[in-house]
Amino acid sequence: MKKAIIIGATSGIGKELAKLLVENNYKVGVTGRRFEILKELKNENPSTYFPKTIDVTDTKISVEKLEELTTELGGLELLIISSGTGDLNVKLDFEIEKRAIETNVTGFTCVADWAFNYFEKQNSGHLVSISSVGGLRGSRGGPAYSASKAYQINYLEGLRQKAFKMNSQITVTDIRPGFVDTAMAKGEGLFWVSSVEKASKQIFNAIKKKKKIVYVTKRWKLIAIILKYIPRQIYDLI
Ligand SMILES: NC(=O)c1ccc[n+]([C@@H]2O[C@H](COP(=O)([O-])OP(=O)(O)OC[C@H]3O[C@@H](n4cnc5c(N)ncnc54)[C@H](OP(=O)(O)O)[C@@H]3O)[C@@H](O)[C@H]2O)c1
């Protein structure tokens, strides 16, 4: 069986991807802060789910737990970072911004670096992270969220370039969802909201094909192009 770890497998996209991996003959290390949910997964399928409580904001413990989990799995071929937090923050409450930075920047970097270094030692492996279409431009509704996703997009590009220059067999995939119907999708004016099942299937197919950058659902690529070219003067009015 192939071995994978999902960071943030207690709900939403991460939880659905865990199911898809198990259906496709993976042993899956499932992680998150809510151990009760991880335990439920383990009870569903004890031989394929390997639960471990990980809070990515606690970077020292996260690394120790990743090491333990990889030993329990007997190796690692695929690591998916689906952990994330993003609250609307119209009043610019710094605690909300701080939580996004600690989870989506510091925690993300810790896990991505650990995975990359692990894969470098075995000269192969696949790092997948869920960034967002929201990382392509700034956002008045959640400035830290969109900035943290821009950070992830650039960081993953850096790792991809590093893997290429090292001539290694490491693949880095950046998944950029639009709206997906999870606890994360908040606020007014949501459109093209995908079900978790549909989005996760598209993500799983992209993983199988070892794609580099993927928009989920596919039509969000159109929004990405518009966001890229829309002039700042017009963007400011939105
Ligand atoms: N839904 C959307 O519309 C959308 C759009 C674009 C991008 N995304 C991205 O997709 C990813 C998955 O989100 P989702 O939509 O599936 O939302 P979700 O259901 O809220 O899932 C978020 C996951 O992140 C985990 N998490 C949060 N803080 C954590 C921490 N400190 N340490 C470890 N795990 C943590 C949560 O687990 P615990 O609470 O158990 O720790 C949960 O499993 C996120 O990165 C999000 O930014 C989502």
Side-chain angles (χ1 to χ4, degrees):
M1 287 174 94
K2 288 187 266 183
K3 295 125 193 160
I5 289 177
I6 301 182
I7 309 295
T10 49
S11 60
I13 297 168
K15 192 174 184 200
E16 187 63 24
L17 282 175
K19 273 193 215 158
L20 288 173
L21 289 178
V22 163
E23 282 166 22
N24 284 274
N25 209 31
Y26 274 84
K27 281 202 265 187
V28 187
V30 281
T31 77
R33 292 165 302 177
R34 289 170 286 172
F35 190 67
E36 281 310 308
I37 300 176
L38 299 174
K39 225 165 63 184
E40 281 167 26
L41 285 173
K42 175 82 180 163
N43 290 340
E44 263 176 40
N45 202 335
S47 59
T48 47
Y49 284 119
F50 291 69
K52 188 75 72 184
T53 315
I54 293 183
D55 178 345
V56 294
T57 64
D58 191 340
T59 51
K60 189 168 176 284
I61 304 279
S62 294
V63 166
E64 287 169 15
K65 299 259 184 104
L66 284 167
E67 302 277 359
E68 274 172 30
L69 188 50
T70 304
T71 306
E72 286 165 26
L73 287 165
L76 189 67
E77 281 119 35
L78 169 68
L79 185 138
I80 302 173
I81 306 176
S82 190
S83 52
T85 181
D87 289 300
L88 291 172
N89 193 5
V90 180
K91 293 193 171 155
L92 276 189
D93 173 348
F94 178 65
E95 286 309 312
I96 294 177
E97 300 302 69
K98 191 170 163 221
R99 196 160 54 238
I101 295 162
E102 285 175 351
T103 309
N104 304 352
V105 176
T106 308
F108 156 84
T109 308
C110 171
V111 175
D113 285 2
W114 179 84
F116 194 93
N117 288 330
Y118 181 90
F119 293 148
E120 187 180 350
K121 274 184 218 138
Q122 67 181 14
N123 195 32
S124 71
H126 193 170
L127 171 64
V128 177
S129 188
I130 319 286
S131 67
S132 175
V133 168
L136 299 175
R137 296 294 285 258
S139 162
R140 62 190 157 88
Y145 180 74
S146 58
S148 70
K149 291 295 172 179
Y151 173 92
Q152 293 183 353
I153 286 170
N154 276 276
Y155 203 91
L156 294 167
E157 184 168 55
L159 293 185
R160 197 177 303 112
Q161 187 187 44
K162 186 172 165 67
F164 181 76
K165 279 283 180 189
M166 283 162 31
N167 213 8
S168 78
Q169 298 301 309
I170 301 171
T171 306
V172 178
T173 299
D174 176 4
I175 306 284
R176 301 178 184 172
F179 293 124
V180 183
D181 190 13
T182 69
M184 181 80 65
K186 302 179 190 98
E188 288 166 12
L190 304 191
F191 59 100
W192 289 356
V193 181
S194 162
S195 69
V196 182
E197 291 77 15
K198 183 175 179 181
S200 303
K201 250 184 218 146
Q202 289 192 10
I203 294 170
F204 183 62
N205 285 335
I207 292 172
K208 277 196 291 191
K209 290 180 186 156
K210 297 201 166 178
K211 296 258 188 194
K212 294 184 170 65
I213 296 169
V214 187
Y215 291 93
V216 173
T217 52
K218 289 181 184 137
R219 58 184 172 177
W220 277 89
K221 188 164 187 183
L222 181 67
I223 301 291
I225 293 167
I226 294 169
L227 283 172
K228 188 171 175 199
Y229 291 108
I230 194 167
R232 182 183 49 77
Q233 291 84 346
I234 294 176
Y235 188 76
D236 284 349
L237 299 171
I238 297 172

